[in-house]
Amino acid sequence: QVQLVESGGGSVQPGGSLRLSCAASGTIYKINAMGWYRRAPGKQRELVAAITTDDTTNYLDSVKGRFTISRDNAKNTMYLQMNSLKPEDTAVYYCNADLYSNSGRGDLWGQGTQVTVSS
C-alpha cells in the first residue's frame, strides 16, 4: 500500500525552527509534483510550498524567505524547513504528492502533523 507519512511537527516558540519530512512508501515508480499544505483552525486549507520534478519551487507569500521546500528523489522524501516561525504558522501541515505506483497514478495525502508556535 502506497502512503505518505509526515513527521517533524511539534511546539516551538516564535522565532524557532522546525523541519517537516514526508516519506512516500510502497511500490513507487515516479513522484511528480509534491507540496505542503496547512489548515489552521477556522481557516481554509492553503498551499504553503510546492516543488516539481526539476526542483522548481513556489511559496505562499507569507512564508517566502522563511520556509524552504526540498526533496530527495532517491529516498522518495520531501522536506519543509521552517525558520523564523510565527504564531500565525500554527496549523496542521499536510504533504501531498502526485505519483505513479503499482496501483496506478494517484494524488496522495499524508495524515497531517501539528505545528504549534506559541510563547
Side-chain angles (χ1 to χ4, degrees), residues 2-6 22-25 28 30-37 45 47 49-53 69 71 73 76-78 94-101 104-111:
V2 179
Q3 59 180 351
L4 301 179
V5 179
E6 297 124 339
C22 171
S25 63
I28 297 168
K30 181 182 179 183
I31 301 178
N32 297 318
M34 304 181 78
W36 288 98
Y37 290 74
R45 184 180 64 193
L47 175 64
I51 186 167
T52 64
T53 52
I69 188 172
R71 61 192 287 174
N73 293 324
N76 288 334
T77 300
M78 173 178 64
Y94 300 88
C95 66
N96 172 262
D98 171 27
L99 56 79
Y100 290 93
S101 71
R105 185 171 184 175
D107 182 53
L108 265 61
W109 291 89
Q111 80 284 1

Side-chain angles (χ1 to χ4, degrees), residues 102-117:
N102 60 337
S103 299
R105 185 171 184 175
D107 182 53
L108 265 61
W109 291 89
Q111 80 284 1
T113 185
Q114 176 71 45
V115 171
T116 302
V117 185

Side-chain angles (χ1 to χ4, degrees), residues 38 46-49 58-66 86:
R38 70 186 181 188
E46 60 183 356
L47 175 64
V48 176
N58 67 80
Y59 296 92
L60 183 69
D61 283 347
S62 62
V63 308
K64 286 180 180 177
R66 300 188 297 120
K86 303 176 181 180

